[in-house]
């Protein structure tokens, strides 16, 4: 019985800690990790297991090269995936796979806009609100022209 409890404890502790990422500060060094940074709204999502994709309409481009629409690839089977829904607004931090798409990483700084600031768990974990993050990006990276 003790062995069964020990095995269950190990399994559940592995699952509960699997999706934790190191906390990072929003600064110049952090921004250098990413090739493309933008604010956009999801216009469509195509689920295809490990090869799923979300199409974003970019409102503001802070870093990188992109057109008005940009494809972000993600693994829909991944336990540690970001919950993407059509119509949601996001700040995306990513690196290119090809010139016209990027791969979404669960541990990137990417964050969803949450209307009610009291429910914004991103602000709670990062110490900075969505609007403060946008201002930081605008001031430190500026707005880039879309292709």
């Amino acid at each position: 019985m003790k062995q069964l409890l020990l095995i269950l404890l190990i399994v559940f502790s592995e699952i509960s800690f699997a999706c934790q990422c190191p906390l990072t500060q929003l600064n110049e060094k952090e921004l250098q990790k990413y090739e493309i940074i933008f604010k956009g709204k999801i216009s469509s999502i195509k689920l295809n297991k490990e090869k799923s994709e979300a199409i974003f309409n970019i409102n503001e481009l802070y870093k990188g090269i992109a057109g008005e629409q940009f494809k972000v690839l993600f693994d829909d089977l991944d336990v540690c995936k970001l919950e993407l829904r059509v119509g949601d607004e996001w700040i995306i931090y990513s690196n290119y796979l090809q010139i016209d798409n990027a791969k979404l990483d669960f541990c990137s700084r990417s964050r969803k806009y949450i209307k009610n600031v009291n429910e914004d768990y991103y602000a709670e974990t990062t110490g900075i609100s969505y609007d403060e993050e946008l201002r930081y990006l605008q001031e430190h990276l500026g707005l880039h022209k879309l292709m």
Side-chain angles (χ1 to χ4, degrees):
M1 184 66 166
K2 284 183 181 181
Q3 288 178 328
L4 178 62
L5 286 174
L6 183 61
I7 291 171
L8 287 174
L9 180 64
I10 291 169
V11 168
F12 284 114
S13 67
E14 287 291 319
I15 291 170
S16 66
F17 292 112
C19 295
Q20 291 186 351
C21 301
L23 292 178
T24 60
Q25 293 280 33
L26 183 59
N27 56 37
E28 296 296 325
K29 184 178 177 185
E30 181 66 15
L31 296 179
Q32 289 174 5
K33 292 180 184 177
Y34 304 102
E35 298 169 332
I36 183 165
I37 303 171
F38 65 86
K39 178 183 87 166
K41 242 184 193 169
I42 301 173
S43 62
S44 67
I45 295 176
K46 185 165 56 171
L47 299 178
N48 187 14
K49 300 177 182 169
E50 298 93 357
K51 298 177 183 175
S52 296
E53 60 186 53
I55 305 296
F56 282 82
N57 288 331
I58 297 180
N59 303 105
E60 294 182 354
L61 178 64
Y62 307 109
K63 185 177 181 182
I65 299 170
E68 288 182 24
Q69 289 198 324
F70 191 77
K71 185 188 309 181
V72 176
L73 306 173
F74 64 99
D75 181 352
D76 191 49
L77 299 178
D78 193 342
V79 175
C80 301
K81 66 180 177 188
L82 296 170
E83 291 299 321
L84 304 175
R85 291 187 177 83
V86 172
D88 284 349
E89 179 182 302
W90 284 76
I91 301 172
I92 296 293
Y93 294 82
S94 192
N95 290 307
Y96 293 105
L97 282 178
Q98 297 173 337
I99 191 67
D100 64 342
N101 64 61
K103 177 83 169 147
L104 190 58
D105 178 14
F106 178 78
C107 285
S108 73
R109 283 196 65 90
S110 296
R111 66 186 290 174
K112 181 171 97 170
Y113 172 68
I114 299 173
K115 195 177 255 185
N116 184 345
V117 289
N118 295 325
E119 296 174 2
D120 188 354
Y121 50 90
Y122 294 99
E124 192 65 35
T125 56
T126 63
I128 184 171
S129 75
Y130 188 88
D131 291 334
E132 291 170 327
E133 190 151 346
L134 285 177
R135 275 193 298 280
Y136 183 91
L137 293 171
Q138 291 164 353
E139 291 171 7
H140 289 82
L141 296 176
L143 294 178
H144 294 242
K145 199 172 199 174
L146 296 170
M147 303 268 309

